[in-house]
Amino acid sequence: MQKYKRFLISDSILVVISLYVALLLKFDFYIPSEYILFFKLNIIPVVVITVVFNNIFNLYKHIWKYASIEAVISIVYSLTLSNIVFIIYSYFINYRVLENQYFRFPFTVHIIFWILCTVTLGGTRFIYRIKEEMQKNDEKNNKAIRLLIVGAGDAGAMLIKEIKKHKELNYDIVGLVDDDNSKIGKTINDVKILGGTKDIVSICKKNNIDEIILSIPSASFQKQKEILNVCKQTKCKLKTVPGIYEILDGKVNISKIRDVKIEDLLGREPVKLNDENINKYIKDKVVLVTGGGGSIGSELCRQIARFNPKQLIILDIYENNAYDLQMELKYLYPQLNLKVVIASIRDMERIKSIFSSCKPNVVFHAAAHKHVPLMEENPQEVVKNNILGTYNVATCSDMFNVEKFVLISTDKAVNPTNIMGASKRFCEIMIQTLDKNSNTEYVAVRFGNVLGSNGSVIPLFKKQIAHGGPVTVTHPDITRFFMTIPEASQLVIQAGAMAKGGEIFVLDMGEPVKIADLAKDLIALCGLRPDVDIKIKYTGLRPGEKLYEELLMDEIALTSTEHNKIFVEKPIEYEIEFLEKSIEEFKEIVYKSDEEVFALIEKKVPTYKRKK
């Protein structure tokens, strides 16, 4: 109603002004006195006629901030008809202005009047629309994401250009930070360099920063980790421009900016592979990956596909994951000779049939039960799958002349306190024993937890954060070694290339990470505050769980290899008779009680100390 009155008043004033200006233009800015009198007599009629027609055409009901071409046509129709009526009125209902003399407006006055009314009445409405749009944009700008860019180099400069080009991102670039003191106080593309990385927290607080983008692709992973650790203190959302090794074309664009992931906080340098050695044992070979649909197995398949095997065989008991991986690899590597086999490693006859028909040259054995608490409740299944299943695949490798067998082991196999780790330790004993009695080269590769793998803490924490918490951690001091899935898989393949038979390769996992710190980091990366927005709840150690993991046997020293992230140990040797007798005992025990299974594992794995 208020806007209705506003337009009604403005229209009335503009109609009068338009008529007066029309007279001025007609008479070269000198209006005869009789026409001034005639003008005054017509003010009310012309205003009434115009307002009536504007009402008929709903000009006072339009929402003008959404005005379209139809609204413009309505203005033209209304003013045209109102002017026609006014002409008729002024020609046929004449005023006697002077004695025995009648006046009416010249026709050109009506034409000028119509033009002026159309421009002024229409103009006021579109000025109103523009004003509304400007207010809307101002509101949008007020809510714009206040951005701080870390890095005032070439990447930072290109990033600013990209952001300014993409207005839809709704970024307000507040400033940059850089550790080059000579740059501080200067500007890049009208954006000021506010300080160094040590000033990030104070800058964010002072300028109400919402988001930080790390734009130093040339910095080392360790340096990026240090900066991200500072950024975590700000409670801002963190994003990053990938490292130079990820930007092959050397360009920085919006599509390459991604959220900072927990992996970035590990500060890992990218793994460098010796492709020549890997080619020797994978290229033009038939490669079988058991558990190929799992987290590690699927990444092994992705990496192996790059080295042009003669055939890649994915073996898994769970068809959904295997199918998804099959579709992915067919798309990425259309020339790859790919075969997917659905089978259980527990079924010896089925495994024999697969080896007989496919004749693999290299086997990566990743199939295993790995969830520690679940396996403590189901020890028979651990024996069936991890021990007897591994024995089936390993003996078939010998039987069908496989060149190389690589077992995926775990840090939980070192001085194990749970049955899953003990089963993996027995598998290490198994492959070292088989290696002495076979032409096949048997090796094991041992590493810790893998970030983002099925069953790891990261997916669990993400779900808990999405539900508003709490994030559950078993103990405030519990630590684990972590690797990324690609990192672990590449090092497994590299270790296989270096194997001569009988080794247990140990991967350099860096420093152990506190799970509680990992939880806090993940909460912070979501733009939330640990123990404020999302609570951390400590639930206590689970059955068989250690406060920390070890990567090697205490009594055995590690030997370095040609790869700076791979080490090798030579643990105590066992005889083939011990292995064969143990397997028979395990076959008998799987249908007996839990306690009998635990007791046999303790007997066969001397370093296993069960936590009760």
Side-chain angles (χ1 to χ4, degrees):
M1 182 60 74
Q2 190 175 1
K3 289 175 183 175
Y4 174 91
K5 289 180 180 178
R6 189 188 306 159
F7 278 123
L8 189 64
I9 292 168
S10 67
D11 284 356
S12 301
I13 293 170
L14 289 171
V15 164
V16 173
I17 292 173
S18 296
L19 184 58
Y20 186 74
V21 171
L23 286 167
L24 283 173
L25 294 173
K26 167 64 181 173
F27 294 107
D28 294 327
F29 295 92
Y30 180 77
I31 306 171
S33 58
E34 58 269 25
Y35 279 101
I36 291 289
L37 180 60
F38 190 57
F39 163 75
K40 291 177 181 178
L41 292 173
N42 280 275
I43 286 174
I44 293 176
V46 74
V47 167
V48 170
I49 292 168
T50 304
V51 168
V52 168
F53 276 96
N54 283 355
N55 257 322
I56 292 170
F57 284 91
N58 295 318
L59 297 187
Y60 301 118
K61 293 181 180 178
H62 277 297
I63 301 176
W64 286 98
K65 68 177 178 178
Y66 303 121
S68 61
I69 190 66
E70 288 80 6
V72 176
I73 292 171
S74 296
I75 292 172
V76 174
Y77 282 165
S78 174
L79 292 175
T80 301
L81 290 173
S82 62
N83 206 33
I84 290 170
V85 172
F86 179 51
I87 291 170
I88 294 170
Y89 172 84
S90 64
Y91 268 73
F92 296 101
I93 306 174
N94 295 316
Y95 288 94
R96 182 179 291 181
V97 179
L98 299 173
E99 188 72 25
N100 299 319
Q101 191 173 5
Y102 292 89
F103 279 87
R104 50 183 166 238
F105 291 125
F107 191 73
T108 51
V109 169
H110 289 286
I111 294 173
I112 297 169
F113 172 63
W114 176 83
I115 293 171
L116 290 173
C117 279
T118 302
V119 171
T120 55
L121 269 66
T124 53
R125 282 158 173 80
F126 280 91
I127 288 170
Y128 171 77
R129 176 181 173 174
I130 291 167
K131 183 183 174 184
E132 289 282 325
E133 287 292 330
M134 290 175 67
Q135 286 178 347
K136 183 179 175 182
N137 288 335
D138 288 342
E139 288 174 8
K140 189 175 179 181
N141 288 334
N142 290 336
K143 294 177 183 176
I145 300 166
R146 294 180 64 76
L147 176 66
L148 180 69
I149 296 174
V150 180
D154 292 340
M158 285 190 284
L159 183 59
I160 293 169
K161 286 181 182 178
E162 282 286 308
I163 289 172
K164 287 185 174 182
K165 190 190 304 180
H166 294 270
K167 300 293 184 186
E168 70 278 4
L169 294 173
N170 199 27
Y171 275 125
D172 175 17
I173 308 175
V174 175
L176 297 121
V177 296
D178 198 283
D179 283 335
D180 184 346
N181 291 329
S182 66
K183 293 181 179 179
I184 295 173
K186 297 178 181 177
T187 61
I188 296 177
N189 295 331
D190 298 323
V191 178
K192 190 174 181 180
I193 301 164
L194 303 175
T197 55
K198 66 181 185 302
D199 306 312
I200 287 174
V201 175
S202 59
I203 289 170
C204 288
K205 189 173 181 181
K206 181 180 178 181
N207 294 281
N208 297 316
I209 301 297
D210 300 309
E211 198 167 293
I212 300 171
I213 296 180
L214 180 62
S215 183
I216 319 177
S218 59
S220 69
F221 276 68
Q222 185 59 38
K223 180 63 177 176
Q224 291 192 36
K225 178 185 175 181
E226 290 171 7
I227 296 171
L228 287 172
N229 281 332
V230 174
C231 294
K232 281 190 310 183
Q233 302 171 38
T234 65
K235 310 299 185 294
C236 298
K237 187 170 183 180
L238 306 181
K239 290 188 175 180
T240 184
V241 172
I244 287 295
Y245 78 99
E246 294 178 77
I247 306 179
L248 300 179
D249 56 9
K251 296 177 181 177
V252 175
N253 59 51
I254 295 302
S255 65
K256 286 173 180 168
I257 296 173
R258 60 167 173 79
D259 289 343
V260 169
K261 296 181 287 190
I262 201 74
E263 291 92 324
D264 296 311
L265 299 176
L266 288 177
R268 296 270 195 226
E269 295 290 344
V271 174
K272 295 176 182 176
L273 298 179
N274 186 332
D275 289 0
E276 183 181 349
N277 288 348
I278 294 171
N279 270 324
K280 286 179 182 177
Y281 86 105
I282 288 183
K283 187 177 181 181
D284 298 326
K285 300 293 178 70
V286 177
V287 182
L288 169 66
V289 181
T290 70
S295 305
I296 300 298
S298 61
E299 185 62 27
L300 279 170
C301 291
R302 293 184 189 97
Q303 300 291 343
I304 291 165
R306 295 168 45 217
F307 293 96
N308 301 310
K310 180 179 180 181
Q311 184 179 44
L312 174 59
I313 304 163
I314 301 170
L315 187 151
D316 205 294
I317 194 169
Y318 184 49
E319 72 274 19
N320 289 352
N321 285 349
Y323 174 78
D324 289 342
L325 180 61
Q326 180 186 38
M327 293 300 102
E328 178 189 337
L329 292 178
K330 278 187 173 181
Y331 177 77
L332 294 174
Y333 303 96
Q335 304 304 318
L336 177 66
N337 182 357
L338 182 64
K339 183 180 178 67
V340 175
V341 178
I342 304 302
S344 170
I345 60 172
R346 301 181 184 190
D347 186 345
M348 181 57 159
E349 293 307 312
R350 174 74 169 131
I351 297 300
K352 277 184 183 178
S353 173
I354 293 166
F355 273 72
S356 175
S357 60
C358 297
K359 294 180 173 53
N361 303 111
V362 181
V363 174
F364 289 92
H365 181 52
H369 286 321
K370 63 179 183 178
H371 296 276
V372 170
L374 282 177
M375 294 306 101
E376 289 298 297
E377 301 293 326
N378 301 276
Q380 294 89 347
E381 298 306 306
V382 180
V383 172
K384 288 179 189 175
N385 203 66
N386 291 13
I387 294 177
L388 298 180
T390 298
Y391 184 76
N392 290 342
V393 179
T395 53
C396 282
S397 295
D398 172 59
M399 198 180 304
F400 292 94
N401 301 313
V402 168
E403 296 170 16
K404 202 178 293 275
F405 177 98
V406 182
L407 169 72
I408 308 301
S409 191
T410 170
D411 55 356
K412 294 174 179 62
V414 183
N415 299 321
T417 57
N418 55 72
I419 195 166
M420 194 284 283
S423 71
K424 282 293 190 178
R425 175 63 194 132
F426 186 84
C427 289
E428 291 178 353
I429 294 169
M430 181 193 304
I431 66 104
Q432 289 188 309
T433 305
L434 288 172
D435 183 73
K436 293 190 303 177
N437 298 274
S438 172
N439 291 325
T440 300
E441 293 177 355
Y442 290 89
V443 297
V445 182
R446 187 189 290 163
F447 53 87
N449 296 273
V450 178
L451 285 172
S453 63
N454 295 331
S456 72
V457 293
I458 300 303
L460 174 63
F461 286 170
K462 285 181 177 178
K463 287 178 183 177
Q464 291 175 334
I465 292 168
H467 285 96
V471 171
T472 56
V473 178
T474 56
H475 193 282
D477 296 322
I478 193 168
T479 63
R480 290 292 181 267
F481 292 96
F482 284 100
M483 299 185 96
T484 65
I485 294 175
E487 185 179 19
S489 300
Q490 289 174 45
L491 287 173
V492 166
I493 295 171
Q494 185 71 72
M498 295 187 295
K500 293 179 175 60
E503 302 98 333
I504 293 180
F505 289 100
V506 180
L507 305 187
D508 178 8
M509 302 288 293
E511 295 299 317
V513 178
K514 269 193 176 184
I515 301 297
D517 290 343
L518 202 65
K520 291 173 185 176
D521 287 346
L522 199 59
I523 292 167
L525 290 179
C526 295
L528 302 168
R529 294 167 294 175
D531 286 322
V532 178
D533 302 314
I534 301 289
K535 296 292 183 184
I536 296 176
K537 180 180 178 182
Y538 297 102
T539 58
L541 291 175
R542 298 171 295 183
E545 190 169 41
K546 292 182 183 181
L547 266 180
Y548 62 93
E549 300 290 0
E550 306 151 271
L551 279 177
L552 67 158
M553 309 290 283
D554 289 341
E555 69 273 17
I556 303 295
L558 287 181
T559 304
S560 60
T561 68
E562 61 193 69
H563 197 287
N564 64 350
K565 285 182 175 286
I566 302 175
F567 298 84
V568 66
E569 71 168 58
K570 286 275 189 181
I572 302 165
E573 296 181 352
Y574 290 81
E575 297 301 321
I576 192 68
E577 291 78 17
F578 166 80
L579 175 61
E580 291 172 348
K581 183 181 177 183
S582 298
I583 292 298
E584 291 306 315
E585 291 178 71
F586 281 126
K587 287 179 179 178
E588 292 175 8
I589 206 74
V590 292
Y591 299 107
K592 296 185 179 180
S593 69
D594 289 2
E595 287 305 317
E596 289 177 279
V597 175
F598 283 118
L600 182 60
I601 287 281
E602 282 184 299
K603 181 181 174 183
K604 299 300 178 182
V605 182
T607 54
Y608 173 38
K609 304 299 178 188
R610 184 186 174 199
K611 294 180 73 175
K612 299 180 181 179

